[in-house]
């Protein structure tokens, strides 16, 4: 392949990646990007973006291309930020006690992983145990409910359609999948993707609590209602809880909608973006040592 072809391919990749990101911002409900983030003085009108013109371009490579490009945190901080709506909730004493009691002690992530296969009866039927993955000292941890079919087949969390959307959410806040730690409350797939039972969740919680103890994230994002119930025994629905910070053993927790829900109700992406802006602001505050 000559240099000219390489250049053309790089250019095509860049165009596809930009298109994908602009479409994603569109879906998030953004209408304009401030001129200070652009070379030109004009507002970039994202809402009227004519993506059709680009439709001739091969779209099967979109996901791969998108992974290569992430907006910088500076760029994202140009979007209006809102006051954090922090509702400090202390950990119920029953949870505190149980999380300490069920701590597995000072284990490494591979050691915790090696214990998982025996956690609950779901693991007897699973193809693979799906343990957390990512940066073992990540600032940001995402917690989902339980593996689905693709996760069960591959042994990796969030690799199906919901996972691809989660990758985009992570990219929108200026991070890569490898920068964060991604895990689930339950480590084996429930049959037909049913919600895990309380017993199954309780059996798996020690692994989750220990992952948190080892990774020591500065901030946790819980996806959907299940992980918030697991961490803090909060029983309210995600529509009520999302968008406000909770506290798990001193770690701020931001509940937001599960990406699988966003695939069914895409207009809720805007609210997830609001939540992610709060996450970015809070992380910046924590890094500066303010919180
Ligand atoms: N949904 C989850 O909650 N976790 C996964 O790993 C995949 C889908």
């Amino acid at each position: 392949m000559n240099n000219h072809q390489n250049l053309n391919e790089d250019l095509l990749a860049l165009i596809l990646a930009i298109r994908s990101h602009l479409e994603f911002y569109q879906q998030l409900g953004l209408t304009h990007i401030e001129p200070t983030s652009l070379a030109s003085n004009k507002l970039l009108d994202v809402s009227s973006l004519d993506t059709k013109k680009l439709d001739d371009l091969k779209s099967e490579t979109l996901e791969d291309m998108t992974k290569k490009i992430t907006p910088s945190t500076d760029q994202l901080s140009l979007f209006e930020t809102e006051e954090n709506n922090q509702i400090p909730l202390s950990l119920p004493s029953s949870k505190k006690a149980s999380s300490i009691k069920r701590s597995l002690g000072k284990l490494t992530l591979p050691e915790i992983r090696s214990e998982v296969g025996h956690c609950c009866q779901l693991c007897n039927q699973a193809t693979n145990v799906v343990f957390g993955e990512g940066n073992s000292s990540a600032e940001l941890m995402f917690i989902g409910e339980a593996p689905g079919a693709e996760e069960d087949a591959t042994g990796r969390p969030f690799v199906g359609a919901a996972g691809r959307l989660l990758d985009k959410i992570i990219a929108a806040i200026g991070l890569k999948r490898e920068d964060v730690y991604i895990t689930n409350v339950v480590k084996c797939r429930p049959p037909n993707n049913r919600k895990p039972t309380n017993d199954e969740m309780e059996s798996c919680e020690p692994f989750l609590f220990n992952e948190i103890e080892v990774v020591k994230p500065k901030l946790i994002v819980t996806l959907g209602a299940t992980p918030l119930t697991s961490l803090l025994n909060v029983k309210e629905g995600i529509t009520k809880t999302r968008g406000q910070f909770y506290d798990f053993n001193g770690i701020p927790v931001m509940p937001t909608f599960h990406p699988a829900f966003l695939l069914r109700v895409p207009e809720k992406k805007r609210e997830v973006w609001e939540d992610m802006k709060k996450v970015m602001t809070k992380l910046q505050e924590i890094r500066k040592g303010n919180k």
Side-chain angles (χ1 to χ4, degrees), residues 144-148 151 157-158 184 258:
E145 178 177 284
E151 290 76 21
F158 281 98
N184 283 302
H258 194 288

Side-chain angles (χ1 to χ4, degrees), residues 166-221:
L166 179 60
D167 288 347
K168 287 188 177 181
I169 294 169
I170 293 168
I173 58 172
L175 295 171
K176 295 199 270 308
R177 192 179 162 101
E178 312 84 85
D179 296 328
V180 304
Y181 189 86
I182 302 174
T183 193
N184 283 302
V185 175
V186 166
K187 312 299 189 200
C188 293
R189 183 191 181 200
N192 303 317
N193 296 342
R194 67 159 167 72
K195 195 176 153 20
T197 64
N198 288 346
D199 278 356
E200 287 158 357
M201 278 162 58
E202 284 207 0
S203 326
C204 291
E205 277 166 4
F207 301 103
L208 175 63
F209 294 148
N210 278 272
E211 283 175 286
I212 297 172
E213 266 180 43
V214 172
V215 176
K216 297 193 184 6
K218 292 192 164 79
L219 203 151
I220 294 173
V221 175

